[in-house]
Amino acid sequence: MLVLEYKAAVKKTQSQAIDEAIRTSQFVRNKVLRYWMDNRGVGKKQLYQYNTQLRAEFEFVKSLNSHATQASVENVERAINRFFDNCKNNKLGKKGYPKFKKDSRSVEYKTSGWSLHPTKRRITFTDKKGISELRLLGKWDIHTYPVQLIKRVRIVRRADGYYVQFCVKVDVTCETRTSDGEVGLDVGLEYFYSDSNGHHEENPRFLRKAEKAIKHAQRRIYTKEKGKNNRRKARGRYARKHLRVSRQREEHAKRLARCVCKANAFVAYEDLNVKGLVKNHCLAKSINDVAWASFRRWIEYFALKFDTKVVAVAPHYTSQKCSNCGETVKKGLSTRTHNCQHCGTVLQRDVNAAINILCKAKSTGGHPGSNAWGDVSSTSIGRKTSRGKKGR
Ligand SMILES: [Zn+2]
């Protein structure tokens, strides 16, 4: 599944109509979820029946395209399945019980409710929400794909405007790897990652700079009086700064991940799900966490492309163990060098950990990384950006 995205030129009345459509889709999602919570054991079929009931009951639900409200039900269905899967697989920590949405940013249409202008530079939404025709900006060409391959159309609201996304059903074509290396990756605060070959990938400058700028913009909000226009503007500036960083981060992660998968037949990294659950209040750390999460998503994406095996291992004792002799060498967070008294190995701390990760992955097989890419839900993309915004 390929996602093409265009910025849309939107008039004031249209933005109100889009917001209304987004609200409706969120309303349906939350209602259906509530229905599922209140009626234990209801199946898929009942959820869709309930959707039909909602359409009959509320005029504003009916005015949204029927497949679009179905997409909201599918969204709930996915959340429920994910929750049950996590329980079944005994995932550590939170199981992700489906939550109500408060600040939804997108509405998803399926194959109806919209039509593309013959030039494909304009899209018209034909349901009764009154969005009507949007002009598409941007350079990527949707022309090259037949309309039948467009399985989803999504309107996404961001800090700097509205975007239209097309999910196009195309097979991921395989590319050839340039070499068959094996590599273990360790993430730290100091470097973006360190690998088992002794390479350190520097943290990109924009991440370091971003922290300062974001903090500044955030403080500015509170200097403005509540409820006033200036405060709203300051909030907008803050959100746009976040957006800019998350785009840069995404590009950076994508480029690195492609390089790693292209050069290696086997990639191992720590499964940071467990660690990630620990809430931290350090901004630099949380920016890094988000960066790592997106890097990991891209690794999994490119692994399919280059036919690279990706394995995630549980993050236990990877930094304490000696990668040469296996003895435990205790060190605090501030100790940057691994210095083994047992066998005399001296390695940079993160490189030692990366070697351990690689060995562990090869010996246990670990578990294959979970891949969110088959999932074309509105949340998979909407959530990504909103996560970035809050900086967790
Ligand atoms: Zn040793």
Side-chain angles (χ1 to χ4, degrees):
M1 204 62 84
L2 180 77
V3 180
L4 298 176
E5 181 175 292
Y6 300 82
K7 187 158 189 183
V10 173
K11 295 189 196 94
K12 188 77 196 266
T13 50
Q14 289 180 310
S15 74
Q16 282 160 354
I18 296 172
D19 288 347
E20 167 59 23
I22 292 175
R23 263 197 303 277
T24 305
S25 129
Q26 175 177 288
F27 173 82
V28 174
R29 187 191 179 276
N30 287 347
K31 272 287 208 185
V32 171
L33 181 57
R34 167 55 66 198
Y35 179 76
W36 174 76
M37 287 171 175
D38 290 346
N39 302 275
R40 284 182 167 250
V42 291
K44 193 173 155 178
K45 203 172 149 199
Q46 282 98 321
L47 295 184
Y48 285 94
Q49 279 166 353
Y50 183 62
N51 172 41
T52 316
Q53 206 178 312
L54 285 176
R55 291 182 67 79
E57 193 176 336
F58 299 99
E59 195 55 40
F60 69 94
V61 175
K62 204 178 172 195
S63 64
L64 184 65
N65 175 272
S66 66
H67 287 124
T69 59
Q70 270 181 25
S72 296
V73 185
E74 282 169 22
N75 189 298
V76 175
E77 218 187 303
R78 265 192 305 268
I80 294 170
N81 288 341
R82 200 153 39 218
F83 169 64
F84 282 139
D85 280 352
N86 286 345
C87 292
K88 213 165 65 189
N89 300 336
N90 258 326
K91 194 184 163 216
L92 288 169
K94 288 185 188 161
K95 304 284 186 290
Y97 191 75
K99 281 198 200 114
F100 293 111
K101 283 204 172 171
K102 282 183 296 195
D103 186 24
S104 196
R105 292 159 192 273
S106 63
V107 53
E108 184 169 309
Y109 288 80
K110 291 165 70 165
T111 49
S112 67
W114 54 272
S115 68
L116 267 178
H117 193 263
T119 63
K120 295 191 181 171
R121 301 304 296 171
R122 287 156 194 276
I123 182 169
T124 308
F125 289 89
T126 51
D127 59 359
K128 297 201 181 71
K129 284 294 180 195
I131 300 170
S132 69
E133 191 182 75
L134 299 178
R135 198 156 53 86
L136 304 172
L137 314 167
K139 58 183 174 179
W140 295 106
D141 267 333
I142 188 95
H143 299 73
T144 40
Y145 302 98
V147 180
Q148 300 87 285
L149 289 184
I150 302 174
K151 297 300 176 194
R152 302 279 156 135
V153 173
R154 208 180 284 151
I155 314 178
V156 185
R157 182 177 58 216
R158 300 228 171 89
D160 63 347
Y162 294 86
Y163 292 79
V164 179
Q165 288 179 341
F166 296 90
C167 296
V168 189
K169 193 175 180 229
V170 285
D171 290 328
V172 180
T173 46
C174 268
E175 289 185 54
T176 43
R177 266 197 316 266
T178 47
S179 68
D180 296 332
E182 293 176 335
V183 75
L185 307 175
D186 181 59
V187 331
L189 252 181
E190 199 179 348
Y191 300 104
F192 190 75
Y193 68 75
S194 304
D195 73 21
S196 50
N197 304 322
H199 168 74
H200 299 290
E201 182 65 38
E202 291 286 338
N203 266 320
R205 221 152 53 95
F206 62 81
L207 283 185
R208 280 183 273 141
K209 271 162 76 182
E211 191 189 347
K212 220 170 141 190
I214 288 171
K215 260 188 183 158
H216 180 73
Q218 193 175 25
R219 270 200 306 272
R220 295 268 296 184
I221 299 176
Y222 302 108
T223 62
K224 315 285 181 219
E225 208 177 324
K226 226 175 180 174
K228 289 284 160 59
N229 244 348
N230 278 343
R231 181 141 172 159
R232 191 177 52 79
K233 280 183 199 158
R235 241 194 348 258
R237 270 197 297 275
Y238 169 66
R240 279 193 300 278
K241 276 214 167 76
H242 257 304
L243 191 63
R244 179 150 172 262
V245 177
S246 70
R247 279 180 187 143
Q248 286 176 318
R249 182 173 55 218
E250 214 56 37
E251 272 315 302
H252 175 255
K254 186 175 171 182
R255 196 168 46 75
L256 279 185
R258 191 170 188 281
C259 290
V260 169
C261 289
K262 198 173 180 182
N264 293 288
F266 190 88
V267 177
Y269 53 69
E270 274 184 325
D271 191 352
L272 285 179
N273 269 341
V274 188
K275 272 191 186 171
L277 286 171
V278 183
K279 282 244 161 62
N280 66 73
H281 298 283
C282 165
L283 185 61
K285 178 78 175 68
S286 56
I287 287 181
N288 233 359
D289 281 353
V290 181
W292 175 250
S294 84
F295 177 59
R296 191 177 147 162
R297 259 197 314 274
W298 282 113
I299 288 259
E300 283 165 11
Y301 170 80
F302 283 114
L304 290 177
K305 245 188 162 154
F306 290 107
D307 193 28
T308 298
K309 191 169 182 233
V310 177
V311 167
V313 299
H316 295 312
Y317 310 112
T318 44
S319 59
Q320 308 293 333
K321 214 173 92 176
C322 173
S323 59
N324 185 41
C325 67
E327 292 288 335
T328 304
V329 182
K330 283 245 152 63
K331 44 179 126 22
L333 269 175
S334 56
T335 317
R336 300 315 306 166
T337 327
H338 166 81
N339 198 339
C340 181
Q341 307 93 321
H342 306 277
C343 68
T345 303
V346 179
L347 278 168
Q348 200 274 350
R349 174 204 178 94
D350 298 336
V351 173
N352 177 58
I355 298 173
N356 279 332
I357 289 166
L358 179 60
C359 292
K360 201 167 174 182
K362 278 164 78 177
S363 64
T364 63
H367 52 274
S370 66
N371 192 316
W373 279 87
D375 189 357
V376 286
S377 70
S378 51
T379 49
S380 67
I381 285 167
R383 202 198 303 142
K384 212 160 64 195
T385 46
S386 63
R387 254 291 150 82
K389 245 170 233 159
K390 283 172 201 142
R392 274 212 308 205

